[in-house]
Amino acid sequence: MVRDQVTTSAAANDDDRRLKQVLSRRKTQSEAFFSSAAGQWDRLREELFGATSHLRAMAALLEHDLVVGDLGCGTGQVSQWLAPFSERIIAVDSSREMLRAARERLSGQRHIELRQGPLEKLPISNGELDVALLMLVLHHLPEPKRALAEAARTLRSGGRVLILDMLPHEREEYRQTLGHVWMGISEKQMTQWLQEAGFKAVRWRTLPPESKAKGPSLFVATARRV
Ligand SMILES: C[S@@+](CC[C@H](N)C(=O)[O-])C[C@H]1O[C@@H](n2cnc3c(N)ncnc32)[C@H](O)[C@@H]1O
């Protein structure tokens, strides 16, 4: 009975993903591996350049003249990371406090414009964006479809949206402690919202959990504005 109840929960799925990560890490962290040249290189690479240098470099694949909207930018971490790779970034948030922190973090970066406003009524003109990012934001919104419709309005035809958010989870306490409205978003739900907002070519990927991350597993969804 317990097995039936536990193995089908979102927490069990998260554990399963982490277990796979841990086992694959163990395989490559065995002593035999680290005494080999390949193992030494893995360790040296991380020591010298960090665990995510290759991922950070991926942003260079963006065409440099794209106009990127960082929607719900918070303290501006995503914009800061993209700054060397994008000629123009419009970062929007409704919170004065978040924008103050973002302004401090991004000071001197003239190609990043901070605008205050709601995601449900973006202070961005029709078709102004090539790319719209909604990173860890949708689960805060009572009506995510309105924000997606706004992302569609502000994107040029063929422009792309990228959503990073949590998979369905059971951490009820996040509603009180973090102001979450949605306890994660399923692939079916996300695809339906995107299609209803005028997006096509929806792609969905579950991200492998990072070893030190304690939160629910994440997904990334991308789609193209019709
Ligand atoms: C969890 S933070 C994520 C910040 C950032 N995207 C990141 O990945 O670090 C969510 C942000 O969404 C903003 N936000 C929430 N609801 C909003 C709304 N309706 N309109 C505009 N911004 C909103 C909050 O102020 C907050 O800065």
Side-chain angles (χ1 to χ4, degrees):
M1 226 171 74
V2 171
R3 186 184 301 119
D4 284 350
Q5 282 173 10
V6 170
T7 52
T8 52
S9 68
N13 290 337
D14 277 348
D15 283 349
D16 201 40
R17 283 185 205 100
R18 285 187 220 282
L19 176 68
K20 284 193 184 111
Q21 289 280 104
V22 170
L23 290 178
S24 79
R25 218 175 316 125
R26 266 194 211 152
K27 250 187 238 164
T28 55
Q29 283 181 343
S30 69
E31 231 162 79
F33 178 73
F34 269 124
S35 58
S36 71
Q40 284 176 34
W41 166 239
D42 271 13
R43 186 151 53 193
L44 185 64
R45 184 184 197 283
E46 191 163 333
E47 268 171 28
L48 291 180
F49 310 115
T52 59
S53 53
H54 52 303
L55 298 178
R56 285 182 279 122
M58 292 296 167
L61 288 171
L62 280 177
E63 297 295 338
H64 67 99
D65 56 353
L66 295 182
V67 180
V68 177
D70 182 5
L71 310 180
C73 63
T75 59
Q77 290 189 55
V78 175
S79 290
Q80 182 182 36
W81 183 63
L82 276 180
F85 306 102
S86 184
E87 269 179 14
R88 189 158 172 238
I89 298 174
I90 302 171
V92 179
D93 206 285
S94 57
S95 153
R96 248 176 234 284
E97 204 188 339
M98 288 288 192
L99 284 175
R100 200 175 310 123
R103 199 160 289 119
E104 248 172 62
R105 163 172 273 141
L106 303 168
S107 69
Q109 310 246 31
R110 292 239 188 108
H111 61 306
I112 305 180
E113 207 183 311
L114 295 173
R115 297 183 190 175
Q116 188 177 7
L119 295 171
E120 297 82 354
K121 197 169 185 304
L122 286 170
I124 300 179
S125 315
N126 293 354
E128 198 176 352
L129 303 177
D130 297 294
V131 173
L133 306 176
L134 286 155
M135 302 266 199
L136 301 175
V137 173
L138 276 194
H139 60 266
H140 282 290
L141 309 180
E143 294 182 86
K145 270 202 278 183
R146 285 182 60 196
L148 291 171
E150 273 296 272
R153 176 186 68 75
T154 55
L155 279 168
R156 67 165 167 79
S157 174
R160 295 209 295 166
V161 67
L162 183 150
I163 293 143
L164 174 72
D165 221 298
M166 281 166 278
L167 290 174
H169 61 81
E170 289 138 352
R171 305 188 195 196
E172 192 69 56
E173 69 274 15
Y174 285 1
R175 288 188 200 268
Q176 276 75 46
T177 54
L178 300 171
H180 291 191
V181 177
W182 298 84
M183 286 170 58
I185 303 169
S186 69
E187 179 176 6
K188 189 168 165 220
Q189 179 72 91
M190 193 69 251
T191 305
Q192 190 186 335
W193 284 344
L194 281 166
Q195 286 170 345
E196 285 173 9
F199 289 97
K200 62 175 184 181
V202 178
R203 292 181 66 196
W204 164 283
R205 291 279 184 281
T206 302
L207 295 181
E210 289 189 31
S211 54
K212 288 185 186 144
K214 294 194 177 122
S217 295
L218 298 174
F219 69 84
V220 62
T222 55
R224 201 172 277 284
R225 183 191 179 285
V226 177

